Amino acid sequence: MMDNSSTLHLALPAVHTAASATAPPSLAQPRAFSTSVNPLVFFSILDHYLRRNAGQDRVIGTLLGVRSEDGSEVEIKGCYPVPHLETEDQVEVDMEYHRTMFELHKQVNPKEVIVGWYATGAALNSYSALIHDFYQKEVSSFHAVHLTMDTALTNERLGVKTYISAPVGITSKADNCMFIPIPCDVKYFKAERAGLELLANAKSTESGSTTLLSDMDNLEQAVIEVQKMLERVSEYVDSVLAGTIPANNTVGRYLMDTVSVVPKVDAAEFEKMFNSHLQDLLMVIYLANMTRTQLAVAKRLEKLM
Amino acid sequence: MPSNKELSAALDIEGSVPIHSVQLDAMVVLKIVKHCRESIPATVTGQLMGLDVNGVLEVTHSFPMPKNNQDSEDDASNYQVQMMRCLREVNVDDNSVGWYQSTNMGNFMNQSLIEHQFEFQQALSKSVLIIHDVARSSMGNINLRALRLTPAFMQLYKEKKFSTEALTKAKLTFSNIFEELPITIRNTALLTALLYELETADESVEVSTSHLTTYKSTASTPASKSVLAPSFDVLDLSLDPYVAKNLENLMDTIDDHHQEQGNYAYWQRSVERENKKKAAYLLNRKTENARRAQSGQAPLANEDVDAMFKVPVEPSRLDHLLISGQIDNYCKQINEFAGPTLGKLFAVGELQK
């Protein structure tokens, strides 16, 4: 195990035997470490991969993000590509480029710091360890995160995995390290959610393109979606009642919760609320249209002057 | 970037094919959304990069601009040049095709935006402005608009002539300051794969927990299943805050409009006054001259009457145009919002029965 081979790839159970001897205590619980990724990062990585140089089979780049105070949670919010060159016996990463880009990013987003790096392809090789060592130095006392994306689509999946590293061996050498997988989830916000939804619309069209939806169309889609869900649920409930499907307690409890969320409003009260809202809205529409008419009249009058 | 200019020239030799639509890469959409969201409520801008092919402006990359570029113009351009250089190194289209700006409730019609876009369109005739409305996007439907200044407006702005006469001549009104281009959004094949992956992500949890590489965190609540599980933000019933905010903005703008009108009326009055004075003076001279002619005296020397009575210059109507445009915008927005909301209200009404 401790011979001169440049990298070691160990399976996870080895953590407690090989790594715990040299690793800082925090590494003993890799489970406490988790990452969340903004979908933008995936999109950027794929874009970078598509724009790679001819003959290059993987691309790498720097991940930016924010850390929780104790460093146990990392939120990856952005990334940028870094050019590198891999040959049979050596790897070159354009460190100057990496620095410049980071400086530039800092001007726009001072909160985001370097949290690690990404690479495409599912494989981890000896160069991964070398590059990781560099990024480990960049993040100093924290763990550098390594994110891989399987662009070759092995198993027909775009497997995304995140790792942190643990040193392996008695002497700490740059290329002796072990990648420990850590959990990773996807995090986004409301506005991004809307964007993603739109992009998801495009996925089933052949050309992979879509146009923007108006608010009305969007509402229609949502209503159709809800209808489908209701149908599915009532179908399920019916078949449970008929005894064709065994009842699932968890599902039942969820359904119960959902039904109880529907607020119970007194009919007269509701009527009042409904009407006042409706009147408000109609009034606003009326006024808005009035204003527009005024503008149009003004427009015409101006021409007469 | 001479090489790029050559390239774009090669694609469209005369540069005469007008742009009729804008195609955004999925990544650009997300980048804009992220940048705008993170800097709420400040207004932020960024650069768009891409290529125009046959009248379709393909935007393939974007990068944010630093916020405080007002006081350090040099820094901003420096940043831009460096960023472009860096991006070229990783094979990104480094051909600038426009810029984007965030907005809140559609209040983007202002002088500085017009000036910025004017400069852009002056330098690059095929540049476009993407407006992203953060407030409206967070209600469940992403709101992006691609705008360009119309040629008529460009011409007037170049001449800095915004008199009523010039406006009428150019047939320019608030509704044709900008032309809006349709936006399409494109995913690459790999992205499509990613989206499918995200959709099925919850299934992978079981598959991969064994070696700790959960795609979704195992600790996540069972309610948030797949990443692309349908969201029903659109069905939200809280219409009051949105309408109230919109009306507030509308009222502010109408106040501005009122003030502008006051200015204009003041100008009209002073023009009238000067004109009256001038007419009275001319009449005086006429009678004086007639009297002199009768008594055989030579008529008074001709003086430059126009120089004596300065008609005040008409104030620029640009503000008026912009304010009208803004009001129109708000009204449209309210209408757009009201349609679906009425639907929702009635749906709830039915539900209650």
Side-chain angles (χ1 to χ4, degrees):
Chain A
M1 223 178 184
M2 299 305 164
D3 62 2
N4 269 345
S5 78
S6 57
T7 327
L8 273 174
H9 269 289
L10 301 179
L12 189 67
V15 177
H16 311 292
T17 55
S20 54
T22 49
S26 65
L27 277 184
Q29 300 103 22
R31 275 168 187 275
F33 199 92
S34 74
T35 55
S36 57
V37 186
N38 189 305
L40 170 66
V41 175
F42 300 143
F43 283 64
S44 300
I45 295 174
L46 289 182
D47 186 72
H48 180 203
Y49 182 70
L50 288 175
R51 289 176 190 284
R52 69 195 183 277
N53 291 322
Q56 194 178 357
D57 57 354
R58 78 165 181 173
V59 292
I60 66 162
T62 304
L63 295 174
L64 298 170
V66 286
R67 267 189 209 92
S68 64
E69 251 163 55
D70 56 349
S72 67
E73 272 170 57
V74 174
E75 192 183 338
I76 303 172
K77 299 174 88 174
C79 64
Y80 57 86
V82 175
H84 83 306
L85 199 69
E86 274 178 63
T87 52
E88 286 285 301
D89 52 348
Q90 63 169 347
V91 54
E92 265 176 50
V93 181
D94 193 342
M95 281 310 149
E96 200 191 326
Y97 183 92
H98 161 75
R99 293 257 149 70
T100 331
M101 262 320 240
F102 181 58
E103 284 303 314
L104 290 175
H105 270 272
K106 230 166 47 182
Q107 286 185 31
V108 179
N109 231 329
K111 277 190 213 128
E112 292 183 5
V113 293
I114 300 174
V115 291
W117 65 294
Y118 67 80
T120 56
L124 297 166
N125 57 22
S126 53
Y127 296 146
S128 297
L130 280 172
I131 300 169
H132 197 86
D133 181 60
F134 165 75
Y135 277 99
Q136 187 61 60
K137 281 180 194 135
E138 286 285 307
V139 299
S140 59
S141 59
F142 296 104
H143 285 294
V145 178
H146 178 40
L147 187 149
T148 62
M149 209 165 178
D150 187 2
T151 42
L153 296 171
T154 354
N155 305 330
E156 314 228 309
R157 301 197 59 114
L158 210 58
V160 175
K161 287 175 183 148
T162 45
Y163 304 90
I164 52 173
S165 77
V168 167
I170 299 166
T171 53
S172 58
K173 259 171 70 185
D175 44 359
N176 281 0
C177 95
M178 180 177 67
F179 285 102
I180 305 170
I182 50 170
C184 145
D185 60 16
V186 182
K187 190 174 176 185
Y188 47 76
F189 292 83
K190 256 188 176 178
E192 277 154 24
R193 161 88 240 202
L196 267 180
E197 203 141 282
L198 182 74
L199 302 179
N201 275 340
K203 73 181 188 299
S204 44
T205 60
E206 204 164 311
S207 56
S209 61
T210 180
T211 48
L212 297 175
L213 289 173
S214 73
D215 284 356
M216 204 59 170
D217 293 340
N218 203 15
L219 179 69
E220 190 188 336
Q221 277 201 346
V223 170
I224 292 173
E225 196 79 28
V226 172
Q227 257 174 353
K228 271 193 206 146
M229 282 171 125
L230 285 177
E231 266 165 35
R232 210 159 62 221
V233 169
S234 50
E235 200 178 300
Y236 170 78
V237 172
D238 283 347
S239 41
V240 168
L241 286 179
T244 42
I245 300 179
N248 183 336
N249 284 341
T250 330
V251 176
R253 225 161 278 146
Y254 272 124
L255 281 177
M256 194 69 171
D257 284 351
T258 317
V259 172
S260 65
V261 166
V262 177
K264 224 177 148 55
V265 192
D266 179 53
E269 187 85 353
F270 178 80
E271 187 76 19
K272 211 172 116 201
M273 271 159 57
F274 179 79
N275 281 335
S276 79
H277 267 94
L278 191 65
Q279 274 166 15
D280 279 358
L281 198 62
L282 288 175
M283 190 63 184
V284 167
I285 299 173
Y286 170 70
L287 287 176
N289 279 331
M290 187 80 141
T291 319
R292 284 189 77 184
T293 321
Q294 292 264 354
L295 277 179
V297 170
K299 190 164 93 178
R300 295 280 181 280
L301 281 178
E302 243 164 52
K303 279 189 185 149
L304 293 178
M305 277 167 60
Chain B
M1 288 118 257
S3 62
N4 263 287
K5 277 198 185 121
E6 277 164 34
L7 186 62
S8 54
L11 283 165
D12 174 13
I13 297 157
E14 292 97 38
S16 57
V17 184
I19 303 170
H20 55 74
S21 72
V22 177
Q23 178 184 303
L24 296 177
D25 260 25
M27 183 185 66
V28 176
V29 176
L30 280 190
K31 272 197 160 174
I32 294 176
V33 171
K34 170 176 177 270
H35 183 210
C36 295
R37 175 185 56 75
E38 279 182 344
S39 35
I40 285 180
T43 314
V44 288
T45 59
Q47 297 279 322
L48 301 174
M49 268 116 80
L51 220 53
D52 63 286
V53 181
N54 253 335
V56 180
L57 194 73
E58 292 181 1
V59 182
T60 52
H61 209 279
S62 72
F63 63 87
M65 292 292 284
K67 257 170 252 166
N68 47 354
N69 52 359
Q70 254 73 33
D71 40 46
S72 52
E73 201 65 40
D74 278 356
D75 274 7
S77 61
N78 209 355
Y79 166 85
Q80 193 179 338
V81 169
Q82 256 190 322
M83 190 59 128
M84 299 272 254
R85 211 195 54 215
C86 283
L87 289 176
R88 186 169 51 217
E89 253 179 80
V90 285
N91 307 329
V92 170
D93 298 327
D94 64 340
N95 185 30
S96 180
V97 291
W99 59 301
Y100 65 83
Q101 186 177 333
S102 67
T103 174
N104 211 347
M105 312 291 263
N107 56 345
F108 57 85
M109 288 268 201
N110 57 41
Q111 292 257 21
S112 70
L113 177 128
I114 297 275
E115 193 185 328
H116 204 136
Q117 175 63 8
F118 173 77
E119 276 166 21
F120 245 101
Q121 257 175 265
Q122 189 83 315
L124 299 151
S125 61
K126 292 185 177 175
S127 57
V128 74
L129 162 65
I130 303 279
I131 295 278
H132 173 239
D133 196 322
V134 193
R136 294 182 72 192
S137 287
S138 55
M139 295 199 327
N141 189 15
I142 190 155
N143 190 282
L144 288 169
R145 299 173 69 184
L147 300 173
R148 275 169 61 77
L149 293 172
T150 51
F153 186 87
M154 286 290 288
Q155 189 60 32
L156 278 189
Y157 199 90
K158 208 180 338 188
E159 292 162 6
K160 296 265 171 220
K161 255 176 37 195
F162 282 101
S163 60
T164 315
E165 197 191 335
L167 289 181
T168 325
K169 221 158 112 195
K171 293 207 171 67
L172 195 72
T173 57
F174 62 84
S175 47
N176 56 2
I177 297 175
F178 285 112
E179 51 181 341
E180 190 161 350
L181 303 172
I183 296 181
T184 52
I185 290 176
R186 191 182 60 116
N187 292 345
T188 56
L190 266 177
L191 271 185
T192 312
L194 174 74
L195 286 166
Y196 275 110
E197 171 89 23
L198 288 176
E199 196 170 55
T200 52
D202 51 335
E203 290 160 28
S204 70
V205 173
E206 275 91 26
V207 185
S208 49
T209 15
S210 53
H211 41 104
L212 271 179
T213 56
T214 49
Y215 190 73
K216 281 284 285 175
S217 161
T218 38
S220 71
T221 52
S224 66
K225 267 187 247 136
S226 135
V227 177
L228 284 173
S231 87
F232 296 108
D233 290 345
V234 203
L235 297 178
D236 197 3
L237 268 177
S238 60
L239 67 150
D240 291 350
Y242 182 83
V243 174
K245 188 89 194 95
N246 228 326
L247 286 179
E248 215 170 274
N249 287 340
L250 183 58
M251 244 136 72
D252 283 351
T253 333
I254 288 183
D255 274 351
D256 288 346
H257 188 259
H258 190 74
Q259 202 183 341
E260 195 63 26
Q261 240 173 0
N263 284 346
Y264 194 69
Y266 176 77
W267 171 77
Q268 269 180 328
R269 273 200 306 278
S270 57
V271 166
E272 213 171 304
R273 212 164 39 231
E274 288 298 310
N275 277 342
K276 248 188 215 151
K277 269 199 228 160
K278 193 166 142 187
Y281 178 79
L282 284 176
L283 194 74
N284 247 339
R285 293 208 25 162
K286 230 177 168 179
T287 45
E288 175 81 15
N289 274 347
R291 201 176 52 77
R292 277 168 164 247
Q294 264 180 6
S295 57
Q297 284 170 309
L300 287 171
N302 259 339
E303 287 165 54
D304 191 0
V305 190
D306 284 339
M308 287 175 65
F309 299 100
K310 272 219 186 89
V311 178
V313 187
E314 184 177 7
S316 165
R317 305 289 282 153
L318 178 60
D319 273 335
H320 165 77
L321 264 189
L322 292 180
I323 291 170
S324 307
Q326 187 66 65
I327 295 177
D328 191 51
N329 229 335
Y330 283 136
C331 293
K332 257 191 216 158
Q333 220 163 271
I334 291 177
N335 272 346
E336 273 170 26
F337 175 76
T341 311
L342 274 180
K344 279 188 262 182
L345 262 182
F346 279 107
V348 173
E350 285 302 310
L351 190 72
Q352 199 62 33
K353 282 171 195 165

